[in-house]
Amino acid sequence: MDKIKLKKVIFNGLFIAVSLVYACKPNQMISKKVSKEIKNSQMLGKYQVGFALYDPVAKEMILEKDADKYFTPASNTKLFTFYAGLKVTPDSIPSLRYVERGDSLIFWGTGDPSLLHTIVKGTKAIEFLKKTNKKLFFAVGRYTGDFFGNGWGWDDYNDYYQPEITELPLFDNVVLVTAKQAGEMNIFPKIFNSCFTADSSSKATKFYAQREFLVNKFHFPPVKTTANYEQQIPFKTGTNVTLTLLADTLKKEIQVVNEVLPANAKTIYSSKSDDVFRQLMLPSDNFVAEQLLLTYADKLGLEMNTSKVIAAVQEKYLTELPDKPKWVDGSGLSRGNLFTPRSIIKLLDMIYKEVNNQERLFSMLPAGGKTGTLRNAYAKTDTPFVYGKTGTLSGVHNQSGYIITKKGKLLYYSFMNNNYVQPTAEVRKEMVRVMTFVHDNF
């Protein structure tokens, strides 16, 4: 809306009131209207909310609400892991390092999550090991971290979203229990069949398998599975488990050696980076996120350690952020991560420029009403207007990404909600309402 002001001027010795019209800039109009929507919301005043809306063409922040405050990002953390990948592994993911000596082939893991991954299905390294006629030796010890990330909940060890971290992951580091028909129980990889036993003392009325914390012993109640049952259970990792899985896959004997990776070791790449990045971002795959950081360490010639590669990435690629992030893992499972909305906006700008292809970038991000973790958040559509990353923990629900308005204007946004007690569905609904308002009105 235009502003009208009266100004007195002297004309032929007389004071005359002249009306002057000052046009509001488009971004000022957006700022006022969106600010009003947030201020008048009955939901958003009940917990901590950080919001930032940015115009990349004008290179100006349209609206900020506590955008300089730190929030728990949850899986918005994967945006940082994604950007690091764009810089460090832009084309392909390293899958295996190796040297050949006489009749022996010694190989080292790189942390590659795509290695026999159920979706990405990286197989080149496995095919290479299958075809060689040399004796195989697995050199252990590259990964120097713990099997869980910094600040992870130990009691989530049985849940699909928290597989352990290893230098040579196989089959997503999970056991898959399925049943096409009621009463069936199929286990994959099959070597875990003998690890499952029925618990006759269980009073459970529904089938659910539970692993013991530190060993691969799985118990299930004496009830039938339902049709189309599926459960992913992280297995307890270790060198012996890795060797058994690999030997069973290759149908070959593998021995263990302790040897430092030499500078002349060759590299095998199994998967295209974009394919792995899509698996990282669309379903918000925690396993892929954590393992990718180890592949970055391999590419940068660093010790395979999460905290050390994060420190290196921050020093090398993230110095332009307005607020230094507290970044501790790749997935966002840890509440130790802390980012500000305005730093995420800057990161989104860096991602957009690094990819330099909107169609390619948006294909790797959840699309509102169509794909990934935003598929059911917005109304079903074949023409999404939001592309971004969600992030959810107990009391945390965030969205950060790109929005295309009805008039075709591209904006960046970061919407962070922390410390709420309302159902997450209500928080999501309010966030979607505000972002839909931005799309519809500008």
Side-chain angles (χ1 to χ4, degrees):
M1 180 181 293
D2 293 339
K3 293 182 178 179
I4 300 176
K5 290 187 177 181
L6 296 179
K7 184 177 180 180
K8 292 181 179 180
V9 297
I10 299 176
F11 181 74
N12 289 336
L14 300 173
F15 285 101
I16 301 174
V18 179
S19 64
L20 302 178
V21 179
Y22 298 89
C24 284
K25 293 181 180 179
N27 283 347
Q28 290 178 336
M29 292 178 61
I30 298 174
S31 178
K32 286 187 176 183
K33 290 185 177 182
V34 178
S35 181
K36 185 177 180 181
E37 287 297 310
I38 293 175
K39 185 177 180 180
N40 293 340
S41 169
Q42 295 182 357
M43 277 283 292
L44 298 178
K46 297 179 179 179
Y47 45 84
Q48 294 177 343
V49 176
F51 182 78
L53 189 64
Y54 178 79
D55 182 345
V57 175
K59 296 182 179 179
E60 66 178 7
M61 195 71 81
I62 297 172
L63 177 62
E64 294 182 88
K65 180 190 184 309
D66 288 338
D68 60 341
K69 302 295 191 297
Y70 284 87
F71 289 81
T72 300
S75 282
N76 272 201
T77 303
K78 293 184 178 75
L79 287 166
F80 287 77
T81 305
F82 176 42
Y83 179 68
L86 293 172
K87 300 296 289 187
V88 180
T89 57
D91 300 312
S92 302
I93 305 299
S95 189
L96 211 65
R97 303 294 297 278
Y98 74 97
V99 294
E100 294 177 306
R101 295 177 186 161
D103 64 349
S104 301
L105 188 150
I106 305 169
F107 62 94
W108 291 259
T110 63
D112 177 17
S114 72
L115 199 58
L116 297 179
H117 190 278
T118 52
I119 305 298
V120 184
K121 301 184 186 301
T123 59
K124 289 182 180 178
I126 295 299
E127 292 303 318
F128 171 76
L129 295 178
K130 277 184 178 180
K131 290 177 181 179
T132 183
N133 58 3
K134 295 181 181 294
K135 296 178 182 178
L136 297 178
F137 295 87
F138 174 36
V140 299
R142 288 196 77 194
Y143 176 56
T144 59
D146 294 325
F147 60 83
F148 278 169
N150 182 345
W152 287 11
W154 70 268
D155 52 346
D156 290 338
Y157 74 90
N158 199 73
D159 295 317
Y160 75 94
Y161 53 78
Q162 195 165 296
E164 297 185 0
I165 306 169
T166 56
E167 61 195 68
L168 188 66
L170 297 165
F171 304 109
D172 316 11
N173 281 357
V174 298
V175 179
L176 180 62
V177 182
T178 59
K180 288 185 178 180
Q181 298 179 2
E184 291 182 349
M185 189 175 74
N186 303 305
I187 297 168
F188 182 83
K190 293 182 179 180
I191 66 163
F192 290 104
N193 268 318
S194 61
C195 301
F196 280 73
T197 56
D199 180 7
S200 59
S201 64
S202 173
K203 304 298 182 184
T205 57
K206 293 184 178 180
F207 185 92
Y208 183 77
Q210 179 81 31
R211 196 195 87 207
E212 293 183 20
F213 182 39
L214 295 175
V215 292
N216 284 316
K217 292 183 179 179
F218 303 81
H219 305 281
F220 58 91
V223 295
K224 290 183 177 181
T225 56
T226 55
N228 300 314
Y229 181 84
E230 181 173 310
Q231 182 184 358
Q232 292 179 315
I233 312 168
F235 57 74
K236 186 73 195 77
T237 60
T239 301
N240 289 337
V241 174
T242 300
L243 285 177
T244 302
L245 283 169
L246 203 52
D248 181 67
T249 301
L250 299 175
K251 309 303 178 187
K252 290 183 177 182
E253 180 184 356
I254 304 168
Q255 299 181 53
V256 173
V257 293
N258 289 297
E259 186 168 338
V260 177
L261 179 73
N264 66 341
K266 297 178 181 179
T267 305
I268 295 178
Y269 296 86
S270 280
S271 302
K272 294 293 184 183
S273 294
D274 281 14
D275 293 336
V276 182
F277 294 156
R278 285 189 186 91
Q279 182 61 27
L280 165 72
M281 301 300 280
L282 267 67
S284 197
D285 193 318
N286 296 328
F287 165 75
V288 169
E290 300 303 332
Q291 297 293 156
L292 273 177
L293 289 182
L294 302 192
T295 69
Y296 305 161
D298 176 79
K299 285 289 289 184
L300 293 171
L302 301 172
E303 178 182 333
M304 200 178 282
N305 179 283
T306 300
S307 61
K308 292 186 178 181
V309 71
I310 286 176
V313 167
Q314 286 187 265
E315 182 179 353
K316 191 174 179 67
Y317 301 117
L318 297 176
T319 56
E320 295 181 33
L321 298 182
D323 307 295
K324 184 177 181 180
K326 185 183 178 187
W327 181 16
V328 302
D329 72 2
S331 62
L333 278 171
S334 176
R335 291 180 183 269
N337 297 300
L338 290 169
F339 305 147
T340 66
R342 69 181 185 180
S343 281
I344 292 181
I345 290 291
K346 179 60 179 178
L347 183 73
L348 290 167
D349 190 48
M350 293 161 68
I351 288 171
Y352 194 88
K353 291 174 179 175
E354 186 67 29
V355 176
N356 197 29
N357 182 317
Q358 183 170 293
E359 183 179 359
R360 176 191 167 210
L361 173 59
F362 287 0
S363 77
M364 292 186 281
L365 297 174
K370 188 173 183 180
T371 61
T373 54
L374 285 173
R375 182 178 183 179
N376 296 319
Y378 291 80
K380 299 289 184 188
T381 180
D382 289 327
T383 55
F385 59 82
V386 164
Y387 299 85
K389 187 72 201 74
T390 58
T392 308
L393 293 169
S394 176
V396 174
H397 191 53
N398 309 316
Q399 255 187 52
S400 297
Y402 309 91
I403 180 168
I404 301 174
T405 70
K406 216 166 193 178
K407 293 181 180 179
K409 192 178 184 73
L410 173 67
L411 304 174
Y412 306 163
Y413 75 98
S414 182
F415 207 146
M416 307 187 80
N417 305 275
N418 280 196
N419 298 334
Y420 59 81
V421 295
Q422 293 82 357
T424 294
E426 293 181 11
V427 176
R428 181 187 301 112
K429 184 178 179 180
E430 187 65 0
M431 204 164 29
V432 168
R433 184 190 70 80
V434 172
M435 296 317 301
T436 302
F437 176 87
V438 172
H439 166 263
D440 291 347
N441 289 276
F442 306 106

